[in-house]
Amino acid sequence: MPTTDELPETEQSTDSVTDETETSIDDTAPSAVTFDRDGIRAGFVTCVPVALGVAGYGIAFGVLADRAGLSIVEVALMSATVLAGASQIIAVELWADPVPAATVVLAVFAVNLRYSLMGAALRPWFKHLSATRTYGSLFFMADENWALTMRDLTSGSRRGAFLLGSGLAIWLFWVASSVIGVAVGGVIDDPATFGLDFVLVATFVALAVELWDEASTAVPWAVALVTALVTAQVLAGQWHVIAGGVAAAVVEVVRRD
């Protein structure tokens, strides 16, 4: 009988293969993410073209904010601390004297509910990062850089800092373009004249093409689209956004079970 120290060569070989397999799995697991300057740099550089598109939307927001009577300082402060284009536009459209705080808060809450789903999608990678890194990155999360980050992480890059880097690009261009929009607000009568109202739509279409994964995405996307269209006819406001996202998520859970 061989002792533990004298295992047959075949058993030793099997153990070796098992160890290598486990190591390989550990190395590619979502939990094995990094968070460094390279990830921040990669996210920033990758997101700059998208941020340029966001800037066009930011100018449109600045023009609307100027019409609502907000100053450059107020607009810069809002863009720097909120970083949510749709919510900010809704807020300035509801702006009045006095400001209907309850109405604004409820409308913004409805629009931003989608971020709970987006954050949940990042959890497999972010759950092993520190709270400072996780929530510091999530502060800079927008629809555009979330989509880029999901594409990057699912490709196996493991760059946990990608969201922060791409978010910083969005943040810089958004704040700067908002201020520019206020400054030229008296010159531009209608942002739609220059196609600024379509810039964000075009950006999302480009991101959707990048995220398309053939047949595997067809079902949840179709469910989200139909649900959103039906909800938009039934409920006022932006509830169709969260309804479509929840419906698609439920479908994916059922399919994978």
Side-chain angles (χ1 to χ4, degrees):
M1 289 290 292
T3 64
T4 304
D5 295 333
E6 298 175 345
L7 290 175
E9 184 177 347
T10 55
E11 293 185 18
Q12 292 177 352
S13 177
T14 301
D15 290 342
S16 176
V17 171
T18 301
D19 292 341
E20 291 178 1
T21 302
E22 291 176 351
T23 300
S24 176
I25 292 174
D26 290 340
D27 288 342
T28 58
S31 59
V33 296
T34 61
F35 198 96
D36 51 29
R37 292 181 180 179
D38 289 337
I40 295 175
R41 186 183 304 109
F44 189 94
V45 173
T46 302
C47 195
V48 165
V50 175
L52 286 170
V54 172
Y57 193 60
I59 293 174
F61 162 69
V63 172
L64 294 175
D66 178 66
R67 292 181 181 177
L70 276 71
S71 67
I72 288 182
V73 174
E74 289 170 331
V75 169
L77 184 61
M78 179 187 286
S79 292
T81 56
V82 178
L83 189 60
S87 298
Q88 291 179 228
I89 287 180
I90 289 174
V92 298
E93 287 179 342
L94 294 173
W95 209 264
D97 188 18
V99 177
T103 303
V104 172
V105 169
L106 181 60
V108 170
F109 176 76
V111 173
N112 285 348
L113 271 176
R114 71 188 187 279
Y115 284 112
S116 61
L117 297 175
M118 293 159 59
L122 291 169
R123 189 175 185 278
W125 294 275
F126 277 49
K127 65 181 179 180
H128 295 286
L129 295 177
S130 67
T132 301
R133 289 176 173 178
T134 298
Y135 293 108
S137 299
L138 290 175
F139 173 81
F140 293 98
M141 183 177 73
D143 300 273
E144 298 84 3
N145 70 310
W146 171 83
L148 292 175
T149 300
M150 287 299 298
R151 184 189 67 178
D152 188 73
L153 291 174
T154 53
S155 71
S157 73
R158 301 183 297 168
R159 294 185 293 207
F162 191 95
L163 180 67
L164 177 59
S166 57
L168 287 171
I170 293 285
W171 184 85
L172 287 172
F173 279 83
W174 176 252
V175 174
S177 62
S178 297
V179 171
I180 292 173
V182 177
V184 301
V187 179
I188 300 178
D189 293 328
D190 183 7
T193 304
F194 301 91
L196 296 178
D197 58 325
F198 187 73
V199 170
L200 198 63
V201 176
T203 301
F204 277 122
V205 170
L207 291 173
V209 172
E210 288 291 330
L211 291 173
W212 175 258
D213 189 19
E214 299 180 353
S216 64
T217 53
V219 174
W221 284 30
V223 170
L225 175 61
V226 173
T227 303
L229 290 174
V230 172
T231 305
Q233 298 299 316
V234 178
L235 297 177
Q238 305 295 320
W239 293 102
H240 60 283
V241 177
I242 188 66
V246 170
V250 170
V251 168
E252 275 300 278
V253 170
V254 173
R255 290 177 67 200
R256 294 182 184 278
D257 287 345

